[in-house]
Amino acid sequence: MQEIRQVYKVAARNYSGWMHNLRVWAVFFMAFALGIMLSDEMLTYARTYETSLQILEPFIWTYGDAASVMLSSLLLVLLFADIPFISQETPYQLIRTKRSIWLTGQIVYIICTTILYNLFLFLVQAVLAMPFAFMGNVWSETAAMLGYSGISKGRVPVSVKTMESAMPYECALQVFLLMLCYSLFIASVMLFLNLVIGQGGGIFGAFAINICGYLLTPDIIQKLFSMDMGLEYRANVLCGWLSPLNHATFSMHNFGYDYLPEIGVSFGIFIGMVIILAVLSVLAMRRYDFSFMQTNE
């Protein structure tokens, strides 16, 4: 119990400076602006055609797209830029507890902050949709119009396959969990690389994963190599399996029609990678050379 309390205190101490941390305010302000920007197209269609929205649909459709998931994760990279969060108080914390306990507290803080950040994105888009929204667990007229007519020309990634395979609440939960798992994966990569390579290594690794994931999309592969339909399908399946970003994208999964990964498989891959990176980070902490020259922001 004593070690659990120490983990809690280390994690809670990181939140004490949030009110005076301009970077935290900037990240959540940009996340709010991102939510407005990404949902604007769908809200415009609902306003123009005077059709209703299911309250979770802006979140489902915007974050069911790989580019939107990438943009939201890049803001999280900014929030965790100083991982593993060494401050002037760290020497006193390390005197009173073990390195492994201190790092576990940082990991708990990362998990809680990632959940909070993704909940914030979720709530922003739900609030924006309220003037046009209903709470029922059925797809709206707006979604049906965009999905079946194609009038948005891909600007709103409404997927008929998604509407046929799940209802809004189930779909929103799966989209939220995929985003959460991907965010935790990126944060875990940053923590491990910063411990092994040094400050800056984690940011480089996070950007590299996002850029590679963005490039590993069927559209870009098709344009680069001018593939025919048979090879295009194989490239789509290959991209779905190899890209972490595609694993975080709801529409890039198997709903009984193809050989893309199932959602449960993607959850398992992300959770497995996060656990592996957390264990490697604990091992790396044993050899980590602390530097206490920096000061609080």
Side-chain angles (χ1 to χ4, degrees):
M1 288 299 295
Q2 177 65 22
E3 291 184 347
I4 294 176
R5 283 196 295 270
Q6 289 176 341
V7 167
Y8 167 76
K9 289 179 180 179
V10 171
R13 193 70 188 94
N14 288 330
Y15 289 105
S16 63
W18 269 34
M19 288 298 296
H20 306 289
N21 192 325
L22 292 179
R23 180 158 48 84
V24 172
W25 284 96
V27 166
F28 280 94
F29 176 78
M30 287 188 287
F32 179 75
L34 181 66
I36 295 175
M37 181 184 70
L38 293 177
S39 59
D40 180 67
E41 191 79 26
M42 190 166 196
L43 296 178
T44 299
Y45 280 109
R47 188 182 305 112
T48 302
Y49 293 98
E50 298 182 350
T51 52
S52 60
L53 279 173
Q54 208 282 340
I55 194 167
L56 303 179
E57 283 179 348
F59 176 81
I60 292 171
W61 302 127
T62 55
Y63 292 109
D65 174 66
S68 301
V69 175
M70 182 184 70
L71 288 173
S72 66
S73 70
L74 290 178
L75 289 180
L76 199 63
V77 170
L78 178 60
L79 187 61
F80 290 151
D82 58 342
I83 206 169
F85 317 115
I86 297 172
S87 68
Q88 291 178 325
E89 296 182 2
T90 303
Y92 304 101
Q93 293 173 338
L94 291 172
I95 290 172
R96 292 168 172 78
T97 188
K98 297 182 290 186
R99 287 189 174 204
S100 58
I101 299 298
W102 179 84
L103 183 63
T104 302
Q106 306 300 344
I107 292 173
V108 170
Y109 167 74
I110 291 169
I111 293 172
C112 293
T113 302
T114 303
I115 294 172
L116 178 64
Y117 172 78
N118 283 285
L119 278 174
F120 179 78
L121 293 173
F122 176 84
L123 291 174
V124 164
Q125 295 202 308
V127 170
L128 290 173
M130 280 184 178
F132 316 97
F134 62 90
M135 300 291 292
N137 192 24
V138 293
W139 297 108
S140 70
E141 296 173 327
T142 306
M145 176 183 64
L146 295 175
Y148 288 100
S149 70
I151 60 173
S152 71
K153 298 180 181 179
R155 291 190 296 270
V156 181
V158 176
S159 169
V160 174
K161 182 171 66 172
T162 298
M163 290 191 288
E164 291 176 347
S165 62
M167 300 306 289
Y169 282 98
E170 175 191 355
C171 187
L173 177 61
Q174 291 173 335
V175 170
F176 178 83
L177 291 177
L178 286 171
M179 281 186 61
L180 177 61
C181 287
Y182 182 70
S183 301
L184 287 174
F185 169 67
I186 293 296
S188 300
V189 169
M190 291 180 66
L191 174 61
F192 174 69
L193 290 180
N194 275 3
L195 290 174
V196 174
I197 299 176
Q199 204 74 22
I203 295 177
F204 175 80
F207 272 94
I209 290 172
N210 277 292
I211 295 301
C212 290
Y214 182 73
L215 293 176
L216 274 174
T217 58
D219 291 339
I220 293 178
I221 296 296
Q222 182 187 11
K223 291 176 182 177
L224 288 176
F225 299 102
S226 302
M227 294 179 173
D228 59 32
M229 291 300 293
L231 290 177
E232 181 186 351
Y233 172 74
R234 294 182 182 180
N236 183 62
V237 173
L238 188 63
C239 291
W241 280 97
L242 293 180
S243 168
L245 188 58
N246 286 333
H247 276 286
T249 306
F250 185 83
S251 59
M252 288 295 294
H253 287 88
N254 182 356
F255 299 102
Y257 305 109
D258 45 41
Y259 295 102
L260 289 168
E262 296 181 357
I263 290 178
V265 173
S266 293
F267 285 148
I269 291 173
F270 279 132
I271 293 171
M273 291 301 298
V274 168
I275 292 173
I276 291 171
L277 288 166
V279 172
L280 291 176
S281 296
V282 171
L283 296 177
M285 176 56 67
R286 297 176 181 177
R287 302 184 299 275
Y288 185 72
D289 185 19
F290 283 94
S291 175
F292 302 112
M293 299 300 293
Q294 54 186 329
T295 60
N296 283 332
E297 297 180 50

